[in-house]
Amino acid sequence: MAETAGSPAIRLDGISKSFGPVRANRDISLAVEKGSIHGIVGENGAGKSTLMSILYGFYQADAGSIHISGRPANIRTPQDAIAAGIGMVHQHFMLVDPFTVLENVILGAEGGLTLRQGMDQARTELIALERDYGLEVSPDATVSSLTVGQQQRVEILKALFRQADILILDEPTGVLTPAEADHLFRILGQLRDTGKTVILITHKLREIMAITDKVSVMRQGEIVDTLHTKDVSLEKLAELMVGRRVLMQVDKQTVDAGECVFEARDLTIAKAQYVRSLDKVSLRVHSGEIVGIAGVAGNGQSELLEVIGGMRSDYTGDIMMRGRTLRPAISAPDAIRANGMAHVPEDRHRMGLVMPFEASENCILGYHNEDRYQRGALLDRAAILSDAAGKLERFDVRPPNPHLPASSFSGGNQQKIVLAREFEHDPDFLAVGQPTRGVDIGAIEFIHQHLLDMRARGKAILLVSVELDEIRALADRIVVMFAGRIVGECLPSVSDAQIGALMAGLEAEPGV
Amino acid sequence: MTGSHEQLPPWATAVVLPLLNVAAALAVSGVVVWLIGESPLEVVSLLLWGAFGWGEGVGYTLFYTTNFIFTGLAFGIAFHAGLFNIGAEGQAYLGGLGVALACLYLDFLPLPILIVVAIAASAAFGAGWAFIPAWLQARRGSHVVITTIMFNFIAASLMVYLLVNVLAPAGSMQPESETFSDHARLPFLHDIAAALGVQIATSPLNLSFVWALICCVGFWVLIWRTRLGYALRTAGINPAAAVYAGMSPGRLTIIAMMLSGALASGMALNEIMGSQHRLILEFTAGYGFVGIAVALMGRSHPAGIVLAALLFGALYQGGAELAFEKPQITRDMVVMIQGLIIFFAGAMEHFFRPQLVRLFSLMPSTSRQEA
């Protein structure tokens, strides 16, 4: 890319920030050129979000300076950042759902005593912006009626409406279908072409490769390198992020699928008269097989996992293990575990772990009634601790200290605690939700390998993930869910476009 | 890591923060004392002397402490299960009914058996009174904060009715039950000591104090060493994880509330069977509410609850002496000091946290790399 003359859009010099003993950012210097898309990659906890929060005024740096377009900027609050021309699109949208797009956009910038005046002016501007960037959202649509992708574009509109020249996007594609992500990238490209500067924070290396001009890699609070994207390979980026060589593709050996272990028949959850969050979902998982459930988040996958895990009873349909009907007769989660099923919940913070509990206490969650953990009327603490120590060691949890509270482990290590607990119970059938969400690359490799090991040992695995790459890498069959229904089934080898069409709810072509 | 709730070493949260809060409360009290023209130092020394300076004072301090331990444990156990039981007052009141019924109508039993029966009766009545709001929350979604406070009023009305119309001896104008017979009373500790040949000052301190300490140990074992405690804590911290693990939050709500009510009733044992020897109106006297502050200050840990209860017990006793010695300082002043402690230790628990965090981050010895 040609070097633009003049000062960079953003220059950070020597930014440092500590939280107590944790040094989240260390002496970070970075220049982002005007009119470019600059990617920032790094594992969870590498300090990306902290750095952007400093730039956006949520935190104040302990040391260092910020220059915007060559002028020193003193950013203490998000208002300062907006005034300096910085806009941010958060991972979790900050929208008022019952309001229209227009109302959301002018929020905090109403202008004038009566709404009317500002509204009319805003409407004209909004229409111009939408046209210029192909955002495709109507100003009068209610936000709650929009798709996730459209809601994200409302966030972008909000920033542009406030005259942002620099746009920061924090993990923007986590909630999007492949098609929506493509649309977003087209928009970002147009923004760049009109001279805006875009900072893209992500852990998805493919996105970095696809649209950024330059990329900075963060590791342990430092920027380890800033490179021109065209000069770098995926493998090299991964290596920089993790600090060692990473196998990008796990070795998947062929395993012959055996007998049907798990079967669900017509699982249905009726939310209201015509609304169903699960609609006649039937599927089978055989021994030695991983069935991947693909779909945009919120299309019934969570409900499906909760039904299988015994966490809800408001459903109809049958669940069978090895041809024997388990439910509705046997439905409590502990009874399900006793019948050879295990459940790695989608959201380890909300369900899989009790954060203030010690690792050892988390290692018995759900199995706390088992005899091996009892000593008379009391829990056998020695047995629990030694059991946990073994699990932490075998799953390479760092630090392998069963006394530490779960909250003090990193995301990847927390997930390994959950997996250790569920895998070591040696179930016949495993329902796994988002096994690598918020987990660093090194741990992803480890977790994928373990899932494939379980498969090789003849376990039946149902894998729910929003990461299409992950499903492709692991699954033997892919089942796509949309609006609570199974809308299609395909092999992991089909193209992104084909799966994407299914995920978006477009009817499957026969034979796909 | 990047949250706004920044970390302190556990001992700082458990020890330094409560001490700072109490110190702040005392400092503000000192200012008020000074404003009405008394010397804060003299007041503090009178207060301490009143509470700990003489045998009888110590006895009374520990007697009040017993009440606070029970109501503190009561609040604490529900708190571990994520419940805010502010109905200890009413539960203890009903527990008093259980104690009184046992002592009035079963006084033919030998004392050791009667004690066990009285404990069981008080616990059953207290737990029973807590069961209704618990069931309403678990099965009907009515929040215990609302229902338990309402049940305090219902308990008060019910007890007035019972004491005036049912339990008062025929012809008596006093709204209180008959006095228990001599052998239906908990032994005073000074009597036990005398029997063992040790002379200690006369005070209402009785065997309930020992029972309170036993309950503290039982509380610790239950919460941190049993399956039930594990389940209660899980449900309290993360109800979704409890469901995931196959626990029933509704059932745990009911169990926790009933245990809470049973513990609250311990204070009825202390007051009714241990000291008053008859059932009287309003003997709970706000102990149930102060128990909330005791438990919060003590971080719902028995050791902390005992220390916080001792603090409040000392304030009660020392304050009474102070009001006696200094006509300028009325009983209300002591209530104000208590109020300030509750305010700083309860409502403003984390007031000094940011300063403390900053102080700790300056200390190089504590800085260690995130693992």
Side-chain angles (χ1 to χ4, degrees):
Chain A
M1 201 197 68
E3 295 289 334
T4 333
S7 33
I10 297 177
R11 208 180 79 220
L12 304 176
D13 284 308
I15 297 281
S16 292
K17 174 76 185 170
S18 299
F19 296 99
V22 182
R23 297 181 67 192
N25 283 167
R26 292 186 231 188
D27 193 23
I28 286 186
S29 297
L30 172 70
V32 179
E33 285 158 31
K34 269 202 181 73
S36 73
I37 299 181
H38 194 113
I40 295 184
V41 285
E43 300 189 306
N44 286 298
K48 298 169 294 189
S49 295
T50 305
L51 186 64
M52 289 307 121
S53 297
I54 290 171
L55 192 53
Y56 199 62
F58 283 130
Y59 298 137
Q60 299 238 15
D62 299 335
S65 66
I66 303 174
H67 286 77
I68 308 286
S69 304
R71 282 187 301 278
N74 184 13
I75 297 172
R76 292 160 158 258
T77 63
Q79 281 76 31
D80 295 341
I82 292 167
I86 300 173
M88 184 142 178
V89 176
H90 297 273
Q91 207 170 351
H92 304 285
F93 305 149
M94 316 248 169
L95 297 171
V96 186
D97 283 350
F99 280 16
T100 64
V101 171
L102 181 61
E103 285 168 328
N104 267 287
V105 167
I106 64 166
L107 209 64
E110 292 89 350
L113 192 60
T114 57
L115 270 181
R116 187 62 173 276
Q117 212 182 346
M119 287 274 243
D120 288 344
Q121 204 190 338
R123 182 187 302 274
T124 0
E125 270 184 63
L126 216 58
I127 291 170
L129 283 173
E130 278 172 42
R131 194 188 48 231
D132 292 349
Y133 297 108
L135 292 170
E136 294 171 24
V137 279
S138 151
D140 296 309
T142 313
V143 163
S144 55
S145 72
L146 301 178
T147 65
V148 180
Q150 287 171 320
Q151 293 188 5
Q152 188 173 57
R153 281 174 248 149
V154 176
E155 286 282 9
I156 296 176
L157 264 179
K158 268 168 72 179
L160 294 177
F161 182 75
R162 283 164 179 70
Q163 263 104 42
D165 288 318
I166 300 160
L167 204 60
I168 306 170
L169 294 105
D170 189 4
E171 299 283 359
T173 59
V175 289
L176 303 182
T177 61
E180 282 177 321
D182 285 344
H183 188 169
L184 174 70
F185 293 157
R186 276 201 306 279
I187 295 168
L188 296 184
Q190 267 162 323
L191 286 168
R192 166 182 54 191
D193 296 343
T194 55
K196 308 267 186 202
T197 308
V198 177
I199 298 181
L200 178 68
I201 304 167
T202 183
H203 67 276
K204 294 185 185 171
L205 298 178
R206 295 217 294 173
E207 294 173 359
I208 292 288
M209 301 305 291
I211 63 160
T212 63
D213 300 308
K214 271 184 142 183
V215 55
S216 297
V217 183
M218 289 191 72
R219 191 170 74 221
Q220 290 172 2
E222 289 174 303
I223 288 194
V224 287
D225 211 345
T226 296
L227 306 141
H228 286 283
T229 310
K230 61 173 167 33
D231 301 336
V232 70
S233 68
L234 212 62
E235 287 71 21
K236 174 73 182 160
L237 272 184
E239 194 182 322
L240 281 170
M241 264 169 79
V242 184
R244 63 179 169 81
R245 282 195 61 80
V246 181
L247 245 58
M248 288 305 286
Q249 207 67 43
V250 276
D251 235 2
K252 189 159 100 183
Q253 288 167 348
T254 41
V255 175
D256 290 328
E259 53 162 343
C260 172
V261 174
F262 172 88
E263 182 175 359
R265 261 189 217 160
D266 291 335
L267 297 179
T268 301
I269 299 176
K271 257 203 299 201
Q273 201 172 0
Y274 300 107
V275 189
R276 290 176 167 182
S277 41
L278 272 190
D279 196 354
K280 297 206 170 189
V281 170
S282 300
L283 52 88
R284 291 163 163 236
V285 188
H286 301 83
S287 121
E289 179 185 50
I290 297 181
V291 173
I293 300 219
V296 179
N299 275 295
Q301 302 97 314
S302 306
E303 287 83 355
L304 178 63
L305 274 180
E306 284 175 17
V307 166
I308 292 174
M311 295 179 64
R312 47 200 304 166
S313 49
D314 57 342
Y315 69 97
T316 57
D318 295 321
I319 288 178
M320 278 166 281
M321 281 284 285
R322 298 192 187 284
R324 197 161 64 90
T325 305
L326 272 192
R327 275 181 291 158
I330 298 168
S331 60
D334 41 351
I336 287 166
R337 291 193 174 92
N339 275 283
M341 289 168 72
H343 173 199
V344 176
E346 279 188 306
D347 186 336
R348 60 178 172 271
H349 290 105
R350 206 171 71 77
M351 286 182 238
L353 293 168
V354 183
M355 285 300 161
F357 277 15
E358 288 180 5
S360 66
E361 291 178 298
N362 273 302
C363 280
I364 61 168
L365 187 70
Y367 304 99
H368 53 282
N369 287 324
E370 289 189 355
D371 288 340
R372 58 188 163 136
Y373 300 131
Q374 317 298 326
R375 200 185 56 202
L378 303 183
L379 286 169
D380 188 345
R381 216 170 134 69
I384 291 170
L385 278 170
S386 70
D387 176 75
K391 285 186 170 126
L392 299 189
E393 200 194 309
R394 284 189 293 277
F395 275 73
D396 190 30
V397 176
R398 284 176 232 170
N401 178 355
H403 290 288
L404 285 180
S407 55
S408 67
F409 291 90
S410 71
N413 284 307
Q414 287 172 355
Q415 186 70 342
K416 285 187 196 167
I417 293 175
V418 177
L419 293 174
R421 181 181 73 211
E422 301 301 326
F423 283 15
E424 297 231 333
H425 185 242
D426 199 32
D428 296 330
F429 169 71
L430 248 165
V432 185
Q434 319 294 354
T436 56
R437 177 184 279 171
V439 164
D440 44 64
I441 289 197
I444 289 177
E445 196 187 351
F446 181 90
I447 290 168
H448 284 177
Q449 200 51 57
H450 262 270
L451 280 166
L452 290 175
D453 287 350
M454 291 295 274
R455 168 177 169 268
R457 284 163 52 202
K459 310 295 181 188
I461 299 172
L462 184 70
L463 170 72
V464 173
S465 175
V466 291
E467 305 278 349
L468 206 45
D469 292 343
E470 172 166 272
I471 291 190
R472 282 171 175 287
L474 298 177
D476 299 291
R477 279 190 293 140
I478 299 178
V479 169
V480 182
M481 281 186 77
F482 177 76
R485 285 181 303 129
I486 289 183
V487 290
E489 188 180 321
C490 55
L491 291 174
S493 51
V494 303
S495 74
D496 261 359
Q498 279 170 306
I499 297 185
L502 287 172
M503 284 168 69
L506 307 172
E507 280 309 312
E509 297 160 37
V512 170
Chain B
M1 256 183 304
T2 52
S4 56
H5 206 81
E6 297 178 32
Q7 293 292 316
L8 276 181
W11 62 268
T13 307
V15 181
V16 182
L17 214 47
L19 283 181
L20 275 176
N21 291 329
V22 172
L26 292 180
V28 175
S29 312
V31 171
V32 177
V33 167
W34 176 73
L35 280 176
I36 61 168
E38 294 284 350
S39 146
L41 268 182
E42 194 191 347
V43 164
V44 167
S45 60
L46 268 176
L47 203 130
L48 283 177
W49 179 83
F52 299 112
W54 51 310
E56 205 181 319
V58 174
Y60 270 93
T61 296
L62 292 180
F63 172 71
Y64 297 133
T65 301
T66 308
N67 285 341
F68 288 125
I69 292 178
F70 280 120
T71 54
L73 290 178
F75 185 82
I77 203 159
F79 197 62
H80 275 294
L83 298 161
F84 223 77
N85 176 20
I86 52 177
E89 194 82 3
Q91 289 144 19
Y93 213 166
L94 261 288
L97 180 63
V99 175
L101 292 178
C103 292
L104 286 171
Y105 299 113
L106 300 173
D107 59 356
F108 52 83
L109 293 170
L111 185 61
I113 296 180
L114 182 60
I115 292 176
V116 174
V117 171
I119 290 176
S122 71
F125 273 64
W129 198 246
F131 169 78
I132 311 168
W135 184 87
L136 285 172
Q137 165 150 337
R139 308 285 177 239
R140 291 291 178 269
S142 322
H143 204 284
V144 288
V145 169
I146 311 290
T147 45
T148 51
I149 201 157
M150 290 305 161
F151 268 68
N152 288 338
F153 292 107
I154 300 173
S157 306
L158 179 67
M159 293 298 279
V160 169
Y161 170 79
L162 288 176
L163 281 171
V164 170
N165 297 304
V166 182
L167 289 169
S172 164
M173 298 297 282
Q174 294 283 354
E176 56 186 43
S177 77
E178 253 180 286
T179 305
F180 307 154
S181 61
D182 286 345
H183 51 274
R185 300 173 176 186
L186 281 177
F188 289 115
L189 285 191
H190 59 82
D191 286 338
I192 296 175
L196 298 172
V198 184
Q199 207 62 39
I200 60 171
T202 307
S203 75
L205 183 63
N206 59 73
L207 215 51
S208 307
F209 179 63
V210 179
W211 176 234
L213 296 180
I214 293 172
C215 284
C216 284
V217 176
F219 181 105
W220 183 84
V221 171
L222 174 76
I223 288 293
W224 282 285
R225 288 292 178 269
T226 68
R227 264 189 285 177
L228 177 61
Y230 178 79
L232 287 176
R233 283 183 296 133
T234 304
I237 299 168
N238 189 342
V243 173
Y244 163 78
M247 305 163 181
S248 157
R251 204 174 132 255
L252 291 171
T253 295
I254 292 175
I255 292 174
M257 284 296 288
M258 289 181 74
L259 285 171
S260 179
L263 281 168
S265 306
M267 81 143 284
L269 199 71
N270 188 36
E271 284 284 343
I272 300 302
M273 194 179 182
S275 166
Q276 299 288 348
H277 305 144
R278 65 203 199 290
L279 187 59
I280 56 169
L281 277 183
E282 310 270 322
F283 69 87
T284 48
Y287 285 105
F289 293 117
V290 181
I292 299 171
V294 170
L296 290 178
M297 252 187 100
R299 313 267 149 190
S300 297
H301 189 287
I305 287 172
V306 168
L307 288 176
L310 188 63
L311 171 72
F312 278 96
L315 270 176
Y316 259 48
Q317 166 55 17
E321 289 304 319
L322 182 63
F324 185 73
E325 294 281 327
K326 289 263 169 202
Q328 273 280 62
I329 292 178
T330 59
R331 187 80 205 155
D332 300 319
M333 182 65 87
V334 179
V335 174
M336 185 207 70
I337 299 178
Q338 276 172 25
L340 282 168
I341 290 186
I342 294 174
F343 180 65
F344 277 100
M348 306 226 296
E349 202 185 340
H350 299 289
F351 189 66
F352 295 107
R353 196 182 189 86
Q355 285 81 357
L356 207 57
V357 168
R358 210 170 307 148
L359 195 69
F360 272 94
S361 66
L362 291 178
M363 293 208 287
S365 60
T366 58
S367 75
R368 60 199 146 82
Q369 277 303 313
E370 178 83 346

